[in-house]
Amino acid sequence: MELALVVVAGLAIGGLVAYVNYVNAKKRREAFAAFAAQQGFSYLPENNALASRWGGTPFQTGDHWRVRNVLSGQFQGHQMVAFDYSYQTHTTNGKGQRRTTTHKFGVVVMQLPAPLPNLEVGHEGIFGGAVAKALGFGDIRFESEQFNRTFRVTAADQRFGHAVIHPQMMELLLARGEIAWRIEGNSLVGWDAGPHTPTEVMNRLQLLQSVLANIPPYVWRDYAGVDPSRQ
């Protein structure tokens, strides 16, 4: 009898949790749909194909990749996309019990005028140094010790890293570098752990736009062969 009551209670709690998650997800979809209409963006509740579009953090790890609440459109003259991203990892304890953890991120992406070499900027501790070195990315050091203590910059081409992370870019990131970001081909990808809000989406898009605006013209000419004044 007691076992039956425990089972029933467990099922009731599980049902309640599932219902609360459903309601919260519905409210989130409605909030992003309204936000998209207000900003002139397109909205899709789900587009899992985007999960395999990029290759660096936080993508291409774990399983059960999900892309939800997808916003897309133009932001200050650049094509953008923003979405909720999640994946799962699994562990097994000594008793053979399997535990699943869902990792959630808010992602914003802005299209660049042309592909550039890969470069990644994040807060110290957000990347594994051994992993970065294994992939051929060295941790670049800069003249500003405050910047070095706050951020880790990795790039296959250190000369390119120094060209992009110049003193003005360091000032920008120290003032409001709240998310990690990466140049990957013709994409400027920004992300942070946890779900983002519509207000945070706009703030992060503005940050990516500021990063893009602070890339010197000679970088585009030397590394991408394009004249930024004509873009």
Side-chain angles (χ1 to χ4, degrees):
M1 184 66 177
E2 290 182 359
L3 178 60
L5 290 175
V6 170
V7 171
V8 170
L11 291 174
I13 293 173
L16 178 61
V17 171
Y19 176 73
V20 170
N21 288 340
Y22 167 79
V23 170
N24 289 339
K26 182 174 183 293
K27 289 181 178 179
R28 188 166 178 80
R29 289 194 299 271
E30 292 171 348
F32 274 95
F35 173 68
Q38 181 186 46
Q39 298 296 328
F41 297 149
S42 297
Y43 173 77
L44 285 175
E46 189 169 9
N47 182 6
N48 292 325
L50 288 174
S52 57
R53 170 66 179 80
W54 297 278
T57 308
F59 304 102
Q60 305 300 319
T61 188
D63 59 25
H64 205 67
W65 303 343
R66 291 291 181 266
V67 175
R68 295 187 173 94
N69 296 314
V70 184
L71 306 169
S72 60
Q74 292 283 322
F75 181 82
Q76 298 187 12
H78 299 280
Q79 188 66 29
M80 56 70 63
V81 61
F83 50 87
D84 294 331
Y85 176 68
S86 67
Y87 67 86
Q88 293 183 347
T89 56
H90 313 278
T91 57
T92 303
N93 63 20
K95 297 180 180 180
Q97 297 170 325
R98 191 168 187 255
R99 178 182 178 183
T100 296
T101 302
T102 300
H103 308 263
K104 298 181 180 181
F105 298 86
V107 178
V108 291
V109 183
M110 187 171 290
Q111 185 173 342
L112 300 176
L116 288 171
N118 281 19
L119 178 147
E120 192 162 85
V121 178
H123 295 89
E124 274 291 354
I126 199 169
F127 307 114
V131 174
K133 290 179 181 178
L135 295 174
F137 292 88
D139 184 5
I140 304 175
R141 308 300 289 178
F142 298 89
E143 292 183 0
S144 169
E145 283 305 315
Q146 181 185 6
F147 185 84
N148 291 334
R149 287 193 302 269
T150 307
F151 295 96
R152 172 172 293 193
V153 179
T154 55
D157 184 340
Q158 293 207 6
R159 188 169 70 93
F160 174 73
H162 282 284
V164 173
I165 310 299
H166 50 79
Q168 289 75 22
M169 186 74 83
M170 291 184 210
E171 291 180 8
L172 167 67
L173 297 177
L174 286 169
R176 55 156 309 177
E178 62 268 21
I179 63 172
W181 56 270
R182 176 177 63 256
I183 295 174
E184 183 178 334
N186 67 341
S187 297
L188 183 57
V189 184
W191 72 94
D192 197 16
H196 52 202
T197 66
T199 298
E200 286 175 328
V201 167
M202 294 301 289
N203 289 340
R204 293 168 180 184
L205 286 172
Q206 186 61 59
L207 172 59
L208 294 190
Q209 171 61 27
S210 297
V211 168
L212 179 55
N214 274 278
I215 297 177
Y218 80 87
V219 169
W220 296 106
R221 291 192 293 266
D222 292 354
Y223 289 92
V226 298
D227 183 351
S229 66
R230 297 184 179 182
Q231 299 303 311

